[in-house]
Amino acid sequence: MEKRVLFKSTWLPWLLLAPQFCIITVFFFWPAGQALLQSFQLQDPFGLSTEWVGLDNFKALFSDSGYLESFKTTAVFSTLVATIGIGVSLMLAVLADRIIKGALFYRTLLIVPYAVAPAVAGVLWIFMFSPSLGIVSYWLAQSIGFQTDYLLNSNHAMGLIVSAAVWKQVSYNFLFFVAGLQSIPKSLIEAAAIDGAGPWKRFTSIQFPLLSPTTFFLLVINLVYAFFDTFAIIDATTHGGPGRDTSTLVYKVYYDGFKAMDLGGSAAQSVVLMVIVIALTVFQFRYVEKKVNYA
Amino acid sequence: MKNRFAATALAAVTLCLPIISQAQTEIQWWHSMTGGLNEWVNDQAKQFNDSQKDYKVVPTFKGNYDESMATATAAFRAGNAPHILQVFEVGTATMMAAKGAIKPVAEVMKESGVAFDPKSYVPAVAGYYTAANGQMLSFPFNSSTTIFYYNKDAFKAAGLDPNKAPSTWPEVVAAAAKLKASGSKCPYTTSWMSWVQLESFSTWHNVLFATQNNGFGGNSARLTFNSPLHLRHFENLANMSKQGLFVYKGRASVSVPSFVSGECAMFTGSSGSYADVSKNAKFAYGLAPLPYYPDVAGAPQNTAIGGASLWVMAGKKPAEYKGVAQFFKYLSSPEVQSASHKRTGYLPITTAAYELTEKSGYYKQFPGTDVAVQQMIRKTTDKSRGIRLGNFVQIRTIIDEETEQIWAGKKEPKQALDDAVRRGNEQLEKFEKANKS
């Protein structure tokens, strides 16, 4: 079934598109163009002197081994955030979907973290896992003798920022999964149950396939979230350390642009980031989406 | 009834008239002081406003030092810069290079006809904010320096003399070993890796942190903190770290609670941490000068400056600059300075304020509070005036990143320092290129 509307006049479709186009121009094309322009310039913070340096900013970026390293960091971080985030929230959603008593209460509870600002989330996790002050790190050391030290151990640091980022995003994913699960007709599940399919079988052969559009949507959203929205968490917890082991691409953009006021370098990085996300989105819609069943 | 109302209204209007006709000139002051320091800033503005009728200083908190600076540069681009901006010492070179964006303090004072003598300021403080031609560019406001703190109770428990702080690095190592033997999990820690262990370390030992007299000579400075002496110090620290004598507790001032809570017995950090230590430490503590290597000629010299200064932004009306000048004159009076010094732990910026504080018996009453001043009031050398480099925010982060590799055991001190110098120099080259004058 294909949806296609035929317009008789040639100007009407353009007119209908105009409002959307205006918004995109103001909020996307214009700033993106600015970023592109600045990435070719070297400018002092006050904007008093601007020098055209061509591709120098990009050359500097790619000759910096630390920058290439942060691609890897970003890949690890986003993969972990997206998979763990989607996995955990799917599990929670299935569990919450089965609950009959107090369902609303549990759902509300699970949505609360979404209302917390990323920086605040970061601080919360620091309070729990700080090597000398954290309550959880203290408890871990006391009970099982596990010493957490995100200050010098990069795996611990990565664990910390992934946990904080996932914890914040789980609510959002959860909402969509619960809605998706609720829209699956009960009769389908019941019929399967009568045929003797256990809960796991029902989940793998009915519920999960029917959730595939939701899962795909969340995959895109979560990757974009991990790429763009997590710098506040990193800034509040590890500052990209130890060394540069948790410095993701977007954290570096934020740090160089807003803290170190290196506008050209920061703009060049955002252009790189923009290219990556465009490529990733194209890839997802071209190849991953084929596996999605919109039925 | 109606008459009485009209009479009151008339009286009110007549009373208000002089105030209305004599409109006050508002002076915007953006700062980064939080908590008790925020109250301090507000009190200073209020006291100045109450002391005269022509000007009204309006202090506004604009976030951390780096945030307020970013906000102010954006505001400047939009034509809404404040009159006065508090900028941390790390941003000094950036502000100095922004010639069209700032108005030198010396010029503001001169044009407003306010007497101003740069010589009355503590040399290491004023020198830092002074251009090569001797013109004072920004007004020193809250200056701090690095000092050594120690836990007297822990010293006693370890069999050390609680009234004698280790004054050299070998003594620190020996004391740390004894503290560890007595059960201390963290004998020594530090805050501000770059500021304490490299910048102050350099000026204290009278060696260069960067060429061009640490950046005072111009924008072509390059880093030199991988010299044999610096390397020796970091090898020393790395050994201490391996033996559990030095414990890394994080960047910036994150490590301060480790000392205040009693976990770490020795600590090097800002003299400004005194406010926190004196308020919250539940043990006897001592303040002492920074340790040094006794075999280095010229050591100890003086430590490097930290904290912030006030910059005057360009493009305002002459009447407003007059107000700024009056406000600065008020701030630098010995009474105001001395009161601020006692209240905040920041350095007194004028020699007169220091002498006044001494006369009041404050240093006798709170022993150790003069350590920071003593380290700073010496005559500075070309190598010890301070570190003033472009893109310094990034360079400090690079130093954090590279030295963390040492404590994590991933890099040898030599490689870490060499890498930090190389990466830092890239930043300096970039700054030089962006600020060709």
Side-chain angles (χ1 to χ4, degrees):
Chain A
M1 190 178 80
E2 217 164 314
K3 287 180 192 155
R4 182 167 285 174
V5 182
L6 289 174
F7 289 100
K8 283 197 183 86
S9 68
T10 49
W11 54 267
L12 186 64
W14 292 110
L15 188 73
L16 292 173
L17 265 176
Q20 176 76 27
F21 187 73
C22 286
I23 290 170
I24 291 180
T25 310
V26 171
F27 289 103
F28 178 73
F29 288 118
W30 188 57
Q34 283 275 324
L36 200 62
L37 183 71
Q38 284 200 330
S39 69
F40 295 118
Q41 293 172 339
L42 194 60
Q43 205 176 45
D44 76 291
F46 290 92
L48 297 165
S49 74
T50 306
E51 198 191 340
W52 188 264
V53 293
L55 289 172
D56 275 10
N57 287 325
F58 292 96
K59 270 186 215 149
L61 269 186
F62 287 100
S63 61
D64 175 7
S65 64
Y67 186 65
L68 303 176
E69 197 79 355
S70 75
F71 276 97
K72 216 167 77 192
T73 311
T74 312
V76 171
F77 175 72
S78 341
T79 316
L80 286 175
V81 168
T83 48
I84 300 178
I86 291 177
V88 169
S89 29
L90 182 59
M91 193 184 78
L92 288 172
V94 171
L95 293 177
D97 191 47
R98 296 228 167 109
I99 283 177
I100 298 159
K101 240 185 191 169
L104 193 69
F105 171 73
Y106 288 109
R107 273 176 226 159
T108 314
L109 213 62
L110 280 164
I111 290 160
V112 168
Y114 199 61
V116 178
V120 178
V123 172
L124 274 175
W125 283 78
I126 275 285
F127 274 130
M128 294 192 289
F129 284 93
S130 156
S132 44
L133 302 166
I135 187 156
V136 178
S137 52
Y138 175 78
W139 176 80
L140 282 174
Q142 292 293 315
S143 58
I144 54 170
F146 182 72
Q147 295 281 351
T148 57
D149 184 8
Y150 70 86
L151 289 171
L152 290 176
N153 185 317
S154 8
N155 292 334
H156 293 182
M158 182 56 91
L160 180 69
I161 57 168
V162 168
S163 315
V166 165
W167 177 76
K168 241 203 83 46
Q169 190 65 4
V170 154
S171 326
Y172 182 86
N173 300 345
F174 172 80
L175 265 185
F176 278 85
F177 276 132
V178 164
L181 282 169
Q182 306 235 310
S183 68
I184 296 172
K186 285 274 174 296
S187 55
L188 272 177
I189 314 273
E190 280 158 13
I194 291 166
D195 289 343
W200 178 248
K201 184 82 188 156
R202 293 202 297 263
F203 175 72
T204 50
S205 55
I206 299 174
Q207 286 175 313
F208 190 65
L210 286 175
L211 276 180
S212 65
T214 315
T215 315
F216 175 67
F217 165 77
L218 287 176
L219 181 69
V220 177
I221 293 289
N222 277 271
L223 280 178
V224 169
Y225 163 75
F227 262 90
F228 288 107
D229 273 356
T230 44
F231 62 85
I233 289 175
I234 298 173
D235 193 49
T237 51
T238 62
H239 296 282
R244 285 201 270 184
D245 292 341
T246 55
S247 172
T248 60
L249 292 167
V250 70
Y251 176 68
K252 208 171 140 48
V253 170
Y254 165 74
Y255 172 82
D256 283 356
F258 289 90
K259 298 227 154 157
M261 295 197 288
D262 169 17
L263 300 173
S266 177
Q269 292 170 45
S270 3
V271 171
V272 173
L273 202 58
M274 193 152 70
V275 171
I276 295 175
V277 169
I278 290 173
L280 213 62
T281 315
V282 169
F283 174 80
Q284 287 179 340
F285 278 89
R286 276 229 120 148
Y287 301 101
V288 184
E289 206 196 16
K290 294 234 166 95
K291 306 215 184 320
V292 173
N293 176 14
Y294 286 102
Chain B
M1 191 70 185
K2 213 176 185 182
N3 260 340
R4 233 171 84 192
F5 174 75
T8 337
L10 191 70
V13 169
T14 10
L15 275 174
C16 289
L17 264 179
I19 304 169
I20 295 166
S21 62
Q22 212 183 40
Q24 286 179 310
T25 311
E26 266 200 8
I27 293 158
Q28 295 294 333
W29 177 20
W30 289 6
H31 66 86
S32 304
M33 304 273 88
T34 53
L37 293 174
N38 190 346
E39 284 165 30
W40 168 60
V41 161
N42 289 340
D43 286 350
Q44 297 221 295
K46 193 175 173 296
Q47 283 158 17
F48 171 73
N49 293 342
D50 292 346
S51 74
Q52 44 73 50
K53 285 201 187 89
D54 300 331
Y55 310 103
K56 190 176 173 217
V57 173
V58 186
T60 318
F61 172 73
K62 284 280 172 181
N64 297 336
Y65 281 136
D66 39 13
E67 286 164 359
S68 66
M69 197 166 158
T71 316
T73 50
F76 176 80
R77 282 163 166 242
N80 295 320
H83 299 85
I84 306 173
L85 174 67
Q86 187 191 20
V87 178
F88 56 165
E89 93 281 16
V90 188
T92 302
T94 304
M95 297 301 287
M96 283 186 162
K99 289 198 177 66
I102 59 138
K103 195 170 166 73
V105 163
E107 210 175 294
V108 173
M109 298 304 233
K110 198 178 161 206
E111 282 172 15
S112 312
V114 173
F116 175 68
D117 177 22
K119 287 201 185 66
S120 64
Y121 292 84
V122 174
V125 177
Y128 190 77
Y129 300 111
T130 303
N133 63 9
Q135 187 185 44
M136 194 141 148
L137 295 178
S138 71
F139 182 81
F141 180 61
N142 54 325
S143 296
S144 53
T145 192
T146 50
I147 58 168
F148 182 85
Y149 296 83
Y150 67 104
N151 184 329
K152 287 188 173 177
D153 292 356
F155 265 49
K156 236 181 255 169
L160 291 155
D161 181 1
N163 292 317
K164 197 186 163 295
S167 59
T168 66
W169 280 105
E171 283 174 33
V172 171
V173 178
K178 278 198 170 172
L179 285 161
K180 199 194 171 198
S182 75
S184 174
K185 269 191 203 157
C186 170
Y188 166 67
T189 195
T190 187
S191 64
W192 300 105
M193 187 58 69
S194 171
W195 184 34
V196 177
Q197 308 294 357
L198 283 171
E199 297 164 36
S200 264
F201 180 84
S202 301
T203 57
W204 197 226
H205 289 84
N206 205 25
V207 293
L208 283 178
F209 176 87
T211 58
Q212 293 284 2
N213 293 333
N214 293 325
F216 279 73
N219 286 346
S220 58
R222 293 294 179 266
L223 301 169
T224 54
F225 60 74
N226 51 355
S227 79
L229 180 66
H230 292 103
L231 184 60
R232 171 181 165 193
H233 181 51
F234 270 76
E235 274 169 351
N236 190 14
L237 285 176
N239 279 332
M240 287 180 77
S241 171
K242 266 180 216 145
Q243 297 165 35
L245 303 180
F246 160 63
V247 181
Y248 181 69
K249 289 283 182 185
R251 295 180 187 181
S253 57
V254 176
S255 55
V256 176
S258 311
F259 177 73
V260 175
S261 69
E263 188 190 349
C264 297
M266 298 187 283
F267 170 72
T268 44
S270 167
S271 59
S273 297
Y274 175 71
D276 197 11
V277 172
S278 62
K279 200 173 157 198
N280 298 319
K282 293 196 173 57
F283 49 82
Y285 55 84
L287 282 67
L290 219 56
Y292 61 99
Y293 289 97
D295 54 321
V296 175
Q301 176 55 42
N302 60 283
T303 45
I305 194 174
S309 67
L310 302 181
W311 289 82
V312 185
M313 305 299 287
K316 305 287 179 190
K317 293 191 192 89
E320 292 167 344
Y321 283 133
K322 269 196 180 145
V324 173
Q326 289 296 334
F327 181 51
F328 285 171
K329 186 185 162 198
Y330 169 82
L331 284 181
S332 52
S333 82
E335 291 75 25
V336 173
Q337 268 305 310
S338 172
S340 292
H341 168 50
K342 289 181 194 167
R343 181 169 172 178
T344 61
Y346 285 121
L347 298 167
I349 53 169
T350 60
T351 336
Y354 169 61
E355 280 158 8
L356 186 70
T357 317
E358 195 177 30
K359 232 183 267 167
S360 74
Y362 177 76
Y363 299 130
K364 286 213 179 77
Q365 197 185 344
F366 300 99
T369 44
D370 61 335
V371 166
V373 192
Q374 291 293 351
Q375 285 182 172
M376 290 299 280
I377 55 172
R378 308 175 195 210
K379 203 168 181 312
T380 57
T381 71
D382 277 348
K383 294 171 183 164
S384 78
R385 237 178 296 156
I387 321 286
R388 206 167 62 197
L389 300 169
N391 286 344
F392 206 5
V393 182
Q394 282 124 308
I395 293 173
R396 276 196 170 173
T397 303
I398 288 170
I399 289 170
D400 279 333
E401 290 171 353
E402 294 296 337
T403 53
E404 274 172 359
Q405 312 272 17
I406 305 178
W407 325 131
K410 285 187 188 163
K411 271 189 189 175
E412 287 300 312
K414 175 154 180 36
Q415 200 201 337
L417 289 187
D418 286 349
D419 288 351
V421 164
R422 179 182 48 77
R423 288 178 58 201
N425 279 339
E426 285 168 13
Q427 294 294 336
L428 289 177
E429 279 160 32
K430 208 167 176 180
F431 182 79
E432 192 187 353
K433 209 168 157 193
N435 292 288
K436 263 185 254 159
S437 46

